[in-house]
Amino acid sequence: MKLNAKIPSGPIQDKWDHHRFSMKLVNPANKRKHKVIVVGTGLAGASASASMAELGYQVETFCFQDSPRRAHSIAAQGGINAAKNYQNDGDSIWRLFYDTVKGGDYRSREANVYRLAQVSVNIIDQCVAQGVPFARDYSGLLDNRSFGGAQVSRTFYAKGQTGQQLLIGAYQALSRQIHAKNVRMHPRTEMLDLIIVDGKARGIVVRDLVSGSISSHMADAVVLASGGYSNAFYLSTNAMGCNVTATWRAHRKGAGFANPCYTQIHPTCIPVAGEHQSKLTLMSESLRNDGRIWVPKKKGDTRKASDIPESERDYYLERRYPSFGNLVPRDVASRAAKERCDAGYGVGPSGLGVYLDFAQSIDRLGQEAIEARYGNLFDMYQKITGENPYQSPMRIFPAPHYTMGGLWVDYNLMSNVEGLFVIGEANFSDHGANRLGASALMQGLADGYFVLPYTIGDYLAQSDLEKVSEDHAEIRKAEQETSDRIKKLLYTKGSRSVDSFHRELGRLMWDACGMSRTQSGLKEALKKIPEIEENFWNQVSVTGSEGSMNQNLEKAGRVADFFEFGKIMLHDALAREESCGGHFREEHQTSEGEAKRDDENFSHVSVWEYTGANQTPVMHKENLEFEYVKPTQRSYK
Amino acid sequence: MKIHLKVWRQSGPNQKGRLEDLEVKDVSPDSSFLEMLDVVNEGLEERGKEPIVFDHDCREGICGACSLNINGVPHGPDRQTTTCQLHMRSFKDGDTIVVEPFRARAFPVIKDLMVDRSAFDRIIQAGGYVSVSTGGVPDANGLPVAKDDADEAFENAACIGCGACVATCKNASASLFVSAKLSHLRLLPQGKVEAKTRVLNMTQQMEEEGFGACTNTGDCEAVCPKGIAMKNISSMNVDLIKSLLQS
Ligand SMILES: Cc1cc2nc3c(=O)[nH]c(=O)nc-3n(C[C@H](O)[C@H](O)[C@H](O)COP(=O)(O)OP(=O)(O)OC[C@H]3O[C@@H](n4cnc5c(N)ncnc54)[C@H](O)[C@@H]3O)c2cc1C
Ligand code: FES
């Protein structure tokens, strides 16, 4: 596997400009002759599809939901970062760049992160022009809030529904192009394989989820914008349909998977309530602006929160990290919560919870102000738990939320497979080992609006792309394999539900590869997965037929891929003998329990190559150079 | 809790449907309505039967995928609550619950409780946007927007496109959905420019999709999980008349 990051030369602040200038352009008249496939209609996929169609390319876009507007991005709550410095509090492109590299625990690629910070400012302009109703102050200008890992206020928001508003903006831009017949939209259609012809990504195999029919779509390039894989843990804050199939199938066809063990456990989610829980709900990080996190000072204290006097409360984040306090980055906040709960100070029926308390802010600002800022989140909390968070503190606990790992891409967002581009959460590029809050929306839109539309043009202008005949052997083969797999699932006729297997896998992954990891735990899990996987293929019950709407079958296919994928997560976590960001190996910590990096040996991206079913994957390395932000022990004290 | 379910089962768009009786035992009051259905489905799968098909994704009340008529009411008994956020504590032990798909001519049933709402997408495609392309736009703070306008635009933009307004309306009108989008964009200077053509194009598409006319019964506002207000419909009608007179 050849990994050439193709980082342009020159000073970091000029790289993107120079690169754009040196790119080959596709003649406007020729753009119409190029077809691009986009899998996904979240922020990344919708913005990319719309922007490429506006430029004149023919675009075919796919999503598994019934409408592109329902992609998982819709659920993002808190906000989107941009280095606008509207608050005049010392923000700049450099500072956003610096915060992101540091927040990622020095495991991201400097050049990509710098570009992200640069284009962040264009994103806000673009969204406002589309009619995204961001929060404004009484002057009519845009308002900002703070997020973890930053000491400036650079987060733009629309109540607790920022993802919804940004996605509707992108969806509307996409709808305009569908109307203009520049985009052909295929909702309720799932990509099940990638087609590679002469070493280049040229198409995908899909299943029409309504009719069940399998078909292929061919193009000059394929863009995956299929989101993250947090549902490998079964319970996560992701939507129920989020899955790893698109990227995993591409990986099986040769695309390197980078840093699969970098997963983000979000500190503020509603704790698990019972066995039949199907997903976990995030309470946006923005709440940490006004909420204070604490546990009782006494172990196993069962008093009501309001009966515990101030002097008997441990505001452990403020105690341990006085300069960032409640706004430490997510990985730090999550581990600190786990530490308190493991030590026996947790609250709630399961003891797996800490308080997020708004009493002081409500006293200071009034309930109305808190309602205006977070009303929908408070409502959501009350609906789920039946408790009123205006009266008693919220109970929260960390939950799987975001995946920094993803398919490896170069500076142009192209994977090692030519013609296969990967954008949004599906790639690995910008967040290193830990993503800062409000930066995923920024990255998805940066990739889709402002990076990919240029870089894909450079690829198309330079590549010799002959038309692939409809009965090409690779197409037939990929279709055959897809339908064989479906038949295998349907013929198993076992008696265990798909969900029961997903739960079993998820619990295993959470215990072995969740908030903290050990060599022995990882090795043990690597032994167990194949056993559960074998049971899955022998005992799973997939009912119904292949030729009709069959949600049971859809789920089974996704869970089957999670089994295969889970193994490279474990291999990756095992190989990375250090702690960094969201990857915490218990063997590697400082005396104060902080993550201990090993820059000498692990300042690299781990890129895994598929070598066959049940074969140990092979790891390749992309070394990371830090010219501008010198790695130091991350400190938020 | 013990629940008697009567669930609509229909194997395809052109097949006849019927209500199927199912007993559900040991339902936790803390589980959501959809989690209760998950348990039913797991039981069906274990017995080699086809699970009940229904749309859902985020389970946080924001994607608009979930639907369901629950005891005749879109999204069930709780106000401003989507089906996915409805919890079993809203029901009593021993209750009988009738679960049917959203019903409207423009929303044909695909299977069981799943319907086709792509008509909504086509209405947006007909004009529910600001016609800007990527790049070349002014600075975001170049154009101040009065806070009240921005807030009201936001409230209308909060529509999740679930279709409850259509499902509850005796005329199956999409007026609340369409007017919310029109208000969202009209209230902002960026969207105002195209307001006149937008209202014509979107309402025309709404008619073509087979949605009925609005007779101001107000049921839509009552079931809207996001609290979108009826007054948008009157604004839409005023704008429509103005645009028709001018064109
Ligand atoms: C609850 C929650 C809150 C969040 N809040 C914030 C926040 O405040 N700020 C922030 O910056 N980030 C936030 N995030 C993270 C952020 O929302 C996501 O990382 C981001 O939206 C991902 O966008 P995307 O376009 O890459 O993918 P998604 O939005 O996940 O879209 C994936 C798309 O791919 C399609 N797809 C997937 N697989 C297939 C397939 N096989 N075939 C066809 N289509 C397929 C899906 O249909 C979908 O359209 C939050 C995440 C969660 C879970
Ligand atoms: S499942 Fe998303 S709104 Fe109900």
Side-chain angles (χ1 to χ4, degrees):
Chain A
M1 179 179 289
K2 269 212 268 351
L3 300 175
N4 177 357
K6 304 211 182 106
I7 300 169
S9 57
I12 199 160
Q13 62 273 27
D14 298 334
K15 283 182 196 291
W16 179 232
D17 281 350
H18 286 173
H19 188 56
R20 272 196 301 176
F21 180 67
S22 65
M23 280 182 202
K24 293 229 162 31
L25 297 176
V26 182
N27 172 321
N30 283 339
K31 284 199 177 120
R32 235 168 301 131
K33 295 183 194 146
H34 287 292
K35 190 178 193 199
V36 179
I37 283 173
V38 180
V39 179
T41 59
L43 288 181
S47 58
S49 300
S51 304
M52 288 190 292
E54 288 160 7
L55 288 172
Y57 298 109
Q58 288 179 57
V59 181
E60 288 216 33
T61 302
F62 299 79
C63 71
F64 61 73
Q65 290 91 349
D66 67 327
S67 162
R69 68 178 290 152
R70 307 206 204 281
H72 166 61
S73 294
I74 199 93
Q77 300 174 351
I80 177 167
N81 288 330
K84 280 285 200 186
N85 194 29
Y86 281 164
Q87 305 304 322
N88 196 29
D89 56 0
D91 200 12
S92 63
I93 288 168
W94 269 101
R95 189 176 293 280
L96 175 53
F97 161 64
Y98 171 85
D99 285 350
T100 309
V101 173
K102 177 185 172 196
D105 219 356
Y106 308 96
R107 290 292 174 266
S108 50
R109 206 190 269 152
E110 276 190 336
N112 284 55
V113 178
Y114 193 86
R115 174 179 63 190
L116 175 66
Q118 270 177 310
V119 304
S120 70
V121 297
N122 305 106
I123 296 172
I124 303 304
D125 299 343
Q126 187 63 38
C127 296
V128 166
Q130 290 169 342
V132 170
F134 283 120
R136 289 176 183 266
D137 57 30
Y138 285 100
S139 65
L141 300 178
L142 294 163
D143 194 19
N144 292 112
R145 54 168 58 143
S146 305
F147 256 59
Q151 286 172 317
V152 293
S153 206
R154 62 160 75 99
T155 306
F156 294 79
Y157 67 100
K159 274 207 178 154
Q161 288 156 250
T162 316
Q164 180 197 29
Q165 294 310 315
L166 295 174
L167 184 61
I168 287 178
Y171 158 75
Q172 288 175 183
L174 170 64
S175 297
R176 174 170 163 247
Q177 294 306 315
I178 296 172
H179 192 64
K181 301 213 165 23
N182 298 327
V183 176
R184 261 192 76 193
M185 183 67 224
H186 304 266
R188 292 206 202 265
T189 309
E190 184 166 29
M191 165 190 168
L192 294 175
D193 210 352
L194 178 71
I195 300 170
I196 296 184
V197 177
D198 299 332
K200 296 192 171 85
R202 293 303 299 275
I204 59 174
V205 178
V206 300
R207 179 165 179 271
D208 176 328
L209 300 180
V210 177
S211 70
S213 70
I214 303 285
S215 62
S216 304
H217 295 259
M218 305 304 287
D220 297 320
V222 175
V223 180
L224 298 185
S226 53
Y229 50 82
S230 292
N231 280 348
F233 294 108
Y234 182 66
L235 285 182
S236 84
T237 62
N238 284 198
M240 301 298 287
C242 292
N243 69 89
V244 76
T245 292
T247 47
W248 181 252
R249 292 281 132 195
H251 173 66
R252 287 181 54 124
K253 285 286 171 81
F257 214 111
N259 302 331
C261 82
Y262 288 169
T263 53
Q264 177 163 80
I265 313 297
H266 196 292
T268 54
C269 304
I270 301 178
V272 178
E275 185 58 18
H276 295 304
Q277 186 132 6
S278 58
K279 72 157 286 178
L280 295 169
T281 302
L282 175 76
M283 288 287 106
S284 167
E285 170 164 321
S286 57
L287 293 170
R288 289 199 268 147
N289 272 291
D290 290 304
R292 295 178 70 196
I293 294 179
W294 63 275
V295 291
K297 277 190 181 157
K298 204 173 84 195
K299 253 188 210 181
D301 196 334
T302 52
R303 284 178 293 176
K304 274 202 346 229
S306 53
D307 294 342
I308 301 178
E310 200 54 31
S311 61
E312 292 176 43
R313 299 175 175 194
D314 176 15
Y315 295 91
Y316 58 87
L317 286 178
E318 296 167 32
R319 168 171 59 79
R320 285 179 66 179
Y321 308 99
S323 69
F324 279 69
N326 292 296
L327 285 174
V328 291
R330 293 175 174 176
D331 52 338
V332 177
S334 289
R335 271 197 297 280
K338 180 177 187 312
E339 188 277 330
R340 284 292 79 190
C341 295
D342 287 352
Y345 297 92
V347 300
S350 61
L352 293 176
V354 300
Y355 288 127
L356 177 59
D357 198 335
F358 296 88
Q360 289 183 2
S361 295
I362 292 176
D363 277 351
R364 188 163 42 92
L365 305 164
Q367 176 158 335
E368 223 167 83
I370 296 297
E371 233 175 271
R373 278 180 207 173
Y374 314 109
N376 69 318
L377 298 171
F378 277 55
D379 291 350
M380 192 143 79
Y381 184 86
Q382 182 156 15
K383 272 176 196 154
I384 293 171
T385 61
E387 294 164 20
N388 180 346
Y390 292 105
Q391 284 161 11
S392 52
M394 290 183 177
R395 277 181 299 110
I396 51 159
F397 195 68
H401 175 62
Y402 180 87
T403 53
M404 283 75 69
L407 290 185
W408 183 86
V409 288
D410 63 16
Y411 186 74
N412 296 315
L413 304 181
M414 188 166 88
S415 75
N416 58 305
V417 174
E418 271 189 62
L420 178 69
F421 292 79
V422 192
I423 59 176
E425 191 174 339
N427 74 22
F428 88 106
S429 69
D430 298 349
H431 308 294
N434 173 57
R435 174 176 69 78
L436 290 182
S439 286
L441 302 183
M442 168 172 74
Q443 182 226 330
L445 290 180
D447 290 359
Y449 284 132
F450 297 111
V451 180
L452 180 86
Y454 292 104
T455 57
I456 205 165
D458 189 40
Y459 170 76
L460 294 171
Q462 294 189 56
S463 308
D464 243 346
L465 296 157
E466 275 169 36
K467 196 170 157 39
V468 184
S469 80
E470 273 172 33
D471 51 2
H472 194 284
E474 286 301 326
I475 304 180
R476 295 288 86 87
K477 189 165 149 243
E479 286 182 1
Q480 191 60 47
E481 282 169 5
T482 302
S483 84
D484 288 350
R485 222 163 138 262
I486 289 175
K487 289 203 169 69
K488 196 169 159 203
L489 284 168
L490 282 164
Y491 291 163
T492 304
K493 301 232 180 292
S495 60
R496 256 187 80 180
S497 69
V498 176
D499 282 348
S500 74
F501 282 104
H502 196 178
R503 266 197 296 273
E504 189 176 356
L505 172 69
R507 211 169 290 141
L508 182 78
M509 294 304 293
W510 176 246
D511 289 341
C513 204
M515 255 191 291
S516 77
R517 300 143 183 205
T518 62
Q519 188 185 56
S520 59
L522 291 164
K523 282 192 169 155
E524 184 68 15
L526 265 174
K527 267 201 258 140
K528 273 194 192 144
I529 288 195
E531 293 166 20
I532 313 174
E533 194 180 10
E534 197 184 314
N535 290 343
F536 172 83
W537 284 102
N538 291 322
Q539 298 170 10
V540 73
S541 163
V542 183
T543 54
S545 71
E546 55 185 297
S548 69
M549 167 56 67
N550 190 339
Q551 291 176 316
N552 196 190
L553 176 64
E554 290 164 30
K555 259 199 300 201
R558 294 171 192 162
V559 172
D561 284 341
F562 274 131
F563 275 114
E564 295 184 14
F565 173 72
K567 286 176 266 185
I568 66 161
M569 262 174 89
L570 297 169
H571 278 297
D572 191 39
L574 201 52
R576 190 164 283 279
E577 287 283 354
E578 65 162 351
S579 293
C580 58
H583 170 66
F584 191 74
R585 282 282 302 269
E586 286 178 23
E587 300 92 332
H588 306 285
Q589 50 182 309
T590 65
S591 54
E592 291 159 316
E594 304 292 343
K596 197 162 135 205
R597 284 198 330 263
D598 176 355
D599 290 337
E600 206 166 311
N601 295 303
F602 290 95
S603 189
H604 60 246
V605 182
S606 307
V607 189
W608 296 87
E609 180 178 354
Y610 184 77
T611 48
N614 296 318
Q615 302 288 313
T616 308
V618 175
M619 197 237 279
H620 303 264
K621 292 179 187 172
E622 178 199 335
N623 283 319
L624 294 168
E625 320 261 342
F626 292 90
E627 249 186 278
Y628 296 88
V629 188
K630 288 290 166 223
T632 50
Q633 168 79 38
R634 231 170 21 140
S635 168
Y636 293 94
K637 294 189 187 299
Chain B
M1 293 165 72
K2 196 172 155 193
I3 299 288
H4 311 279
L5 281 183
K6 287 183 174 298
V7 184
W8 186 260
R9 302 303 301 262
Q10 180 173 341
S11 56
N14 303 317
Q15 268 75 30
K16 257 185 90 150
R18 67 190 167 81
L19 284 171
E20 182 174 285
D21 287 288
L22 291 159
E23 298 289 309
V24 205
K25 286 189 210 110
D26 301 325
V27 178
S28 157
D30 284 330
S31 70
S32 71
F33 193 83
L34 295 183
E35 283 166 352
M36 182 272 298
L37 287 184
D38 289 343
V39 175
V40 173
N41 274 348
E42 281 199 50
L44 290 170
E45 285 173 35
E46 281 158 12
R47 281 175 282 140
K49 298 214 170 98
E50 277 199 58
I52 305 158
V53 172
F54 58 90
D55 267 319
H56 66 105
D57 201 17
C58 74
R59 297 206 175 183
E60 289 189 5
I62 193 75
C63 74
C66 64
S67 51
L68 308 188
N69 263 323
I70 299 169
N71 288 336
V73 182
H75 294 302
D78 290 5
R79 271 188 81 88
Q80 298 203 9
T81 303
T82 54
T83 292
C84 62
Q85 289 198 300
L86 178 65
H87 279 70
M88 293 312 291
R89 63 179 87 91
S90 298
F91 298 91
K92 288 195 305 291
D93 191 20
D95 270 0
T96 297
I97 308 177
V98 183
V99 192
E100 290 176 278
F102 278 3
R103 303 223 183 255
R105 183 150 63 101
F107 290 167
V109 172
I110 293 173
K111 190 169 179 175
D112 295 343
L113 304 171
M114 178 187 276
V115 298
D116 179 353
R117 289 170 284 187
S118 53
F120 270 12
D121 287 318
R122 289 187 294 274
I123 293 176
I124 298 295
Q125 286 156 21
Y129 39 75
V130 177
S131 299
V132 287
S133 295
T134 304
V137 298
D139 183 84
N141 258 353
L143 197 58
V145 181
K147 182 169 166 41
D148 290 347
D149 289 342
D151 287 351
E152 198 184 333
F154 169 84
E155 275 164 31
N156 293 310
C159 164
I160 58 173
C162 64
C165 47
V166 174
T168 196
C169 175
K170 69 178 169 47
N171 309 317
S173 165
S175 292
L176 193 66
F177 170 77
V178 175
S179 64
K181 182 50 57 195
L182 290 168
S183 295
H184 157 210
L185 295 173
R186 179 179 34 79
L187 284 159
L188 297 169
Q190 293 83 1
K192 206 173 170 76
V193 183
E194 296 167 281
K196 284 191 191 123
T197 45
R198 184 180 302 120
V199 67
L200 292 173
N201 293 339
M202 288 181 74
T203 48
Q204 186 188 341
Q205 187 68 34
M206 166 169 82
E207 251 172 62
E208 279 170 25
E209 295 292 346
F211 292 103
C214 170
T215 51
N216 285 311
T217 61
D219 290 349
C220 52
E221 185 180 86
V223 299
C224 175
K226 297 295 142 180
I228 307 280
M230 276 266 294
K231 67 171 190 211
N232 291 307
I233 300 182
S234 359
S235 313
M236 170 173 81
N237 290 336
V238 171
D239 284 353
L240 181 60
I241 291 167
K242 274 198 222 153
S243 295
L244 284 171
L245 287 176
Q246 280 174 17
S247 63

